[in-house]
């Protein structure tokens, strides 16, 4: 039975966590590790950090809470500001680890790290799980990722008909007390990750705080206390305030809550409170999230290339001043500027805003869409590799949009911000 190691990445939760549950089931003793990989905080070629301060703070909060929740199970979470391939082999040797459990990843940077760790531990068993999906890859009605449809609706309809969302995996039983290691590792603070402390902007759409318990608090508010879920489809294109959408994205992105858990909570709400088009629509959006994961599974590194998954040659330009002006809210479009102010000040932007600033950057200014996507990667609190690059491709004309739409920014502003309330909030301060 020996000792199992749970290597946490974007699955920072104890509920519905197969890697954690399997390690607890298969071993007398389990310990856990999280690495603040310095590569994730490096400065990109565009001059901004790969992970910016909003996500860094959210991540620290998530890890603090995960460590506490694991301690209640008598599992120590060791944390390091090191590359996984440097520290995991050492931990594996010191603690005579028999097997390493983790969430499966497939995008290039993540899989390179996994390979590097595996190469250093040829005699250790590695067990990985696809735990970021709503529809598990083993359950979807496609034999191979290469036949995933290009169009979302086709994918959604077939999956909705044929796939049953799996049950949540229970939180494991507490391990005996004697298993708790004396944990001398330290969780870095913002300063150690290269950032200054900062206060949340009072205009933020949501007072985001990292951690699994915080995700469940948001479910409690949005579903059960205010019942806003029952209006979701009608409000989801909003721009201001806490409740126009679920605001679950940041916790979903780092795995503090699973899509499967949210699904079952929606079903419970539908049984106990109300079932309507709005409650269904949150599931519809979670399926979008899955879709982009399947697209990256199907297309690999094409999602990061200029021609995208269509391998399309368009007339792209790149001008540093344009990038600076777009980032600093100094474009000709007030609606774009307001949204860019919001993301710079809070790390969050509504879905409507994201579509518009993306379309303006890629289709109006015809600038290399990857620079815009890289800026979002840096600054977003809810950055998710698949959703970010997939949506950027989609709105830039090199992805899955069958209609290849370009947004008319002025009419979007008139429609979604008719009284300039949103633009005034961000531009008049
Ligand atoms: P809700 O409207 O409450 O939706 C519920 C959940 O469904 C979201 O939390 C999210 O997980 C999922 N979802 C909703 N819309 C989408 C979508 N279009 N694509 C994929 N999943 C979706 N979302 C991210 O989580 N991370 C990103 O890095 C990201 N980058 C984006 C970049 C661009 C250019 C665009 C247009 C969209 C991007 N999105 C991204 C999708 C979407 O804008 C956010 O998920 C959403 O605004 C988050 O707010 P919410 O949780 O309140 O969403």
């Amino acid at each position: 039975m020996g000792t199992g190691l749970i290597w946490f990445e974007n699955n920072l939760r104890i509920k519905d966590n197969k890697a954690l549950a399997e390690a607890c089931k298969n071993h007398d003793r389990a310990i856990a590790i999280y690495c603040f990989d310095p590569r994730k905080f490096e400065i990109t070629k565009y001059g901004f950090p790969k992970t910016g301060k909003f996500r860094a703070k959210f991540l620290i909060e998530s890890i603090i809470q995960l460590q506490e929740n694991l301690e209640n199970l008598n599992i120590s979470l060791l944390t390091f500001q090191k590359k996984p391939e440097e520290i995991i082999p050492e931990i594996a040797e010191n603690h005579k680890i028999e097997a390493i459990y983790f969430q499966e990843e497939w995008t290039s940077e993540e899989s390179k790290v996994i390979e590097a760790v595996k190469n250093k531990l040829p005699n250790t068993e590695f067990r990985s799980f696809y735990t970021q999906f709503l529809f598990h890859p083993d359950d979807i009605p496609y034999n191979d990722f290469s036949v995933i449809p290009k169009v979302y609706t086709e994918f959604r309809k077939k999956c909705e008909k044929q796939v049953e969302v799996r049950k949540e995996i229970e939180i494991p039983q507490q391990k005996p007390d004697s298993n708790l290691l004396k944990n001398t590792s330290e969780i870095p603070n913002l300063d150690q990750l290269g950032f200054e402390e900062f206060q949340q902007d009072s205009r933020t759409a949501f007072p985001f705080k990292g951690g699994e318990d915080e995700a469940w608090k948001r479910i409690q508010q949005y579903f059960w206390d205010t019942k806003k879920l029952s209006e979701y489809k009608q409000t989801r294109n909003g721009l201001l305030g806490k409740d126009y959408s679920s605001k679950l994205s940041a916790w979903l992105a780092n795995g503090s809550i699973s899509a499967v858990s949210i699904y079952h909570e929606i079903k419970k709400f539908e049984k106990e409170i109300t079932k309507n088009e709005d409650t269904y629509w949150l599931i519809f959006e979670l399926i979008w999230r899955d879709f982009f994961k399947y697209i990256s599974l199907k297309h690999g590194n094409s999602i990061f290339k200029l021609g995208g998954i269509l391998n399309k040659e368009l007339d792209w330009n790149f001008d540093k001043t344009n990038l600076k002006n777009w980032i600093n809210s100094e474009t000709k479009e007030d609606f774009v500027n307001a949204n860019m102010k919001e993301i710079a000040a809070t790390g969050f932007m509504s879905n409507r805003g994201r579509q518009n600033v993306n379309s303006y950057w890629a289709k109006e200014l015809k600038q290399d869409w990857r620079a815009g996507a890289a800026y979002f990667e840096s600054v977003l609190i809810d950055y998710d590799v698949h959703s970010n690059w997939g949506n950027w491709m989609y709105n830039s004309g090199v992805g899955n949009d069958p209609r290849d739409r370009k947004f008319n920014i002025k009419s979007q502003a008139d429609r979604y911000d008719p009284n300039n309330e949103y633009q005034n909030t961000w531009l008049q301060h």
Side-chain angles (χ1 to χ4, degrees), residues 197-210:
E197 283 295 337
F198 63 94
Q199 293 296 318
Q200 214 157 35
D201 191 295
S202 60
R203 295 164 293 177
T204 190
F206 193 83
F208 289 102
K209 189 157 190 268

Side-chain angles (χ1 to χ4, degrees), residues 232 245-249 285 289 351 382 384 388 391:
Y232 170 68
S245 64
S246 75
K247 307 295 189 303
L248 287 167
S249 54
E285 295 300 337
R289 179 177 171 274
N351 186 55
D382 63 15
D384 169 286
N388 190 58
N391 272 291

Side-chain angles (χ1 to χ4, degrees), residues 27-151:
H27 303 274
D28 304 324
R29 210 173 105 102
I31 56 176
I33 188 166
Y34 182 82
C35 302
F36 289 82
D37 187 334
R39 287 169 293 206
K40 291 192 183 161
F41 298 89
E42 279 170 0
I43 302 296
T44 63
K45 64 177 177 186
Y46 301 107
F48 38 75
K50 201 164 163 56
T51 302
K53 65 179 182 182
F54 300 109
R55 199 162 70 257
K57 183 165 192 276
F58 191 83
L59 175 63
I60 293 169
E61 292 161 353
S62 309
I63 297 296
I64 291 173
Q65 196 157 95
L66 179 67
Q67 193 172 55
E68 283 168 14
N69 290 349
L70 285 169
E71 232 159 72
N72 290 334
L73 302 177
N74 291 331
I75 296 170
S76 298
L77 175 68
L78 313 177
T79 63
F80 298 93
Q81 218 178 327
K82 284 189 174 158
K83 294 178 184 169
E85 64 268 35
E86 283 170 9
I87 187 70
I88 292 179
E90 196 182 308
I91 297 292
E93 192 176 317
N94 291 349
H95 297 279
K96 304 201 169 24
I97 296 297
E98 290 186 346
I100 300 182
Y101 298 77
F102 61 105
Q103 174 169 282
E104 185 62 276
E105 299 286 349
W106 54 92
T107 34
S108 52
E109 287 168 5
E110 288 74 9
S111 41
K112 259 187 220 150
V113 175
I114 295 169
E115 277 316 300
V117 176
K118 284 185 176 171
N119 285 340
K120 291 216 171 150
L121 291 168
N123 300 320
T124 306
E125 190 189 345
F126 282 80
R127 296 194 51 198
S128 64
F129 308 91
Y130 283 119
T131 42
Q132 55 276 75
F133 289 87
L134 180 64
F135 298 136
H136 194 282
D138 291 345
D139 303 341
I140 58 167
Y142 303 99
N143 289 335
D144 200 290
F145 297 134
S146 69
V147 295
I148 298 287
K150 193 179 145 220
V151 178

Side-chain angles (χ1 to χ4, degrees), residues 135-144 147-149 154-163 294:
F135 298 136
H136 194 282
D138 291 345
D139 303 341
I140 58 167
Y142 303 99
N143 289 335
D144 200 290
V147 295
I148 298 287
E154 201 185 314
F155 169 83
R156 174 181 60 79
K157 286 191 170 157
K158 200 163 173 183
C159 288
E160 280 179 338
K161 241 194 215 139
Q162 299 189 30
V163 188
Y294 284 109

Side-chain angles (χ1 to χ4, degrees), residues 222 232 236 242 244-250 252-253 262 281-282 284-290 292 348-358 376-377 380 382-389 391-392 395:
Y222 188 72
Y232 170 68
R236 60 176 286 277
K242 252 168 131 164
Y244 64 80
S245 64
S246 75
K247 307 295 189 303
L248 287 167
S249 54
L252 271 166
I262 297 175
W281 216 260
L282 198 64
F284 178 98
E285 295 300 337
L286 290 175
I287 303 173
W288 261 115
R289 179 177 171 274
D290 260 24
F292 285 123
F348 189 79
M349 188 194 287
S350 67
N351 186 55
R352 184 55 43 188
R354 294 182 204 202
Q355 289 174 312
N356 273 276
V357 303
N358 176 169
F376 267 41
E377 172 169 351
L380 275 179
D382 63 15
Y383 171 70
D384 169 286
V385 57
H386 322 281
S387 292
N388 190 58
W389 292 82
N391 272 291
W392 267 93
N395 289 293

